[in-house]
Each structure stands twice: as C-alpha cells, then as structure tokens.
C-alpha cells in the first residue's frame, strides 16, 4: 500500500510552479534595483546632480556586512560646468571652506581607518590644517533617522551618535574637484 501524499507541495506541478515563481521574483528584484555607483552616492546624499562629464578620479569603498566602514571618492569638476553645478539650490546649505579646525582634526583622526596608502594620503590632504583651500563643504549626519541633518556649524563631537555616521562633501574650486567621504561605525 502506498502512503497518502497530502499537503500543498504533494503535486509536482505545484512544486514546479512555486520554484519558478521564486526564480522570477528574484530575477525581477535583481534587475530593477538601481545601480549604486560613486555618482549616485553623491547625488543621493546631497541632492546635487554632478555635471554630465564628471569623471571619477579616485574611488575606495570598504563597507562591511554590518554597514560599518568608509567610502572615499574624488571627482573632476568640468571647468565649463562649474557655475551651473554651484548654482543648484541644494548648495545653499553648504558652507565656505576652510573647515573649522575642530572638525578637520576629528576627520583627520578618522582617516586612520582608511586601508590604502593613496586613500589615506588623499583624505589627509582633504582635511589638512592649512586654511588656504577655496570652495565649499557640507557635513551631514546619516545616523539613525537623522539623515540629512547638516552638521557644518555644530561642535564636532565624535562621542555623540549624531557624529558617528557622517557624509562629507567638499568642492575645491582651485583644483576643480569634488570630494565625497562617508563614515559609518
């Protein structure tokens, strides 16, 4: 005597249909996700569209499975498109360089976690002590649900959770460069 098959997957066509449904849903999910790239990270963080001919000069990305790590990018700013980029409305929340010394000091301490020597050198140069850099900067908190909270004029205290997950944008007018640095701990 054969055992009685019961349950929703007892029939091979139902099981095959269920497997095909899972495969189709996975394929749709993977093909409809927006591609994350240096341009989209910058645009999503600051609400600014990078000029069309912007090139990535440096790219280093080291995030772990738990979301901790850093991201450092350098972009070229096409000279003919600089004024259009700077006239975007979202630039209103950016502050003129140089960085306040306490902010630069805190950021210099964080770059010790950057893995590559070129990345460390670039970050150290960005947050150096000399105040002769011309341009603009913006520091945002990405901690918890505070994403987008501008931290430019606040006292930068690494022990406060608001300052532990940050995004820094910098427009250097002398070098026609845009920098993006994010840090999550």
């Amino acid at each position: 005597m054969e055992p009685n098959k019961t349950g929703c997957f007892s029939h091979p066509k139902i099981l095959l249909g269920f497997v095909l449904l899972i495969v189709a849903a996975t394929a749709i999910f993977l093909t409809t996700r927006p591609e994350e790239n240096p341009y989209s990270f910058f645009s999503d963080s600051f609400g600014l569209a990078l000029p069309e001919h912007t090139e990535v000069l440096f790219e280093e990305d080291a995030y772990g499975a738990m979301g901790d790590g850093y991201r450092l990018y350098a972009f070229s700013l096409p000279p003919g498109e600089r004024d259009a980029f700077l006239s975007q409305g979202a630039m209103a929340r950016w502050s003129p360089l140089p960085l306040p010394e306490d902010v630069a000091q805190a950021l210099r301490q964080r770059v010790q976690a950057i893995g590559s020597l070129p990345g460390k050198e670039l970050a150290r140069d960005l947050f150096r002590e000399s105040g002769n850099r011309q341009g603009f900067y913006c520091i945002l908190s990405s901690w918890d649900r505070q994403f987008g909270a501008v931290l430019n004029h606040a006292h930068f205290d690494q022990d406060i959770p608001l300052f532990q997950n940050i995004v820094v944008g910098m427009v250097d007018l002398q070098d026609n460069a845009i920098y993006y640095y994010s840090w999550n701990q």
Side-chain angles (χ1 to χ4, degrees):
M1 198 167 184
E2 229 175 277
N4 185 8
K5 292 184 177 179
T6 59
C8 64
F9 296 116
S10 62
H11 200 281
K13 288 182 182 177
I14 294 174
L15 180 60
L16 180 62
F18 183 72
V19 169
L20 289 175
L21 179 67
I22 295 293
V23 169
T26 303
I28 289 170
F29 174 73
L30 292 176
T31 59
T32 58
R33 286 187 342 184
E35 183 180 335
E36 292 183 332
N37 58 48
Y39 304 104
S40 66
F41 286 119
F42 184 89
S43 296
D44 292 346
S45 296
F46 297 107
L48 292 167
L50 290 169
E52 184 179 340
H53 300 290
T54 302
E55 294 180 30
V56 177
L57 301 173
F58 182 85
E59 178 177 353
E60 188 167 321
D61 197 326
Y63 271 88
M66 300 298 289
D68 56 335
Y70 66 91
R71 192 171 277 129
L72 178 61
Y73 302 128
F75 304 96
S76 68
L77 183 60
E81 300 179 37
R82 180 171 83 180
D83 292 337
F85 174 76
L86 295 174
S87 67
Q88 294 180 71
M91 283 297 296
R93 63 184 184 172
W94 288 55
S95 298
L97 286 170
L99 289 166
E101 183 50 39
D102 64 326
V103 174
Q105 174 66 29
L107 292 171
R108 281 194 299 273
Q109 291 173 357
R110 289 194 176 186
V111 301
Q112 300 308 317
I114 292 179
S116 75
L117 185 58
K120 274 188 186 184
E121 289 174 358
L122 175 61
R124 284 182 188 140
D125 183 52
L126 284 178
F127 308 127
R128 68 179 180 252
E129 290 183 45
S130 66
N132 61 357
R133 189 179 299 269
Q134 293 178 1
F136 304 93
Y137 76 97
C138 186
I139 303 173
L140 304 175
S141 173
S142 59
W143 180 73
D144 197 21
R145 289 177 287 262
Q146 298 288 328
F147 187 79
V150 177
L151 304 174
N152 293 355
H153 304 291
H155 175 68
F156 200 89
D157 188 345
Q158 297 183 97
D159 297 327
I160 298 173
L162 191 64
F163 294 91
Q164 292 173 359
N165 298 324
I166 60 167
V167 178
V168 179
M170 190 180 295
V171 177
D172 188 330
L173 298 178
Q174 292 168 320
D175 297 336
N176 283 326
I178 301 172
Y179 301 100
Y180 176 94
Y181 176 66
S182 68
W183 168 272
N184 290 337
Q185 62 182 30

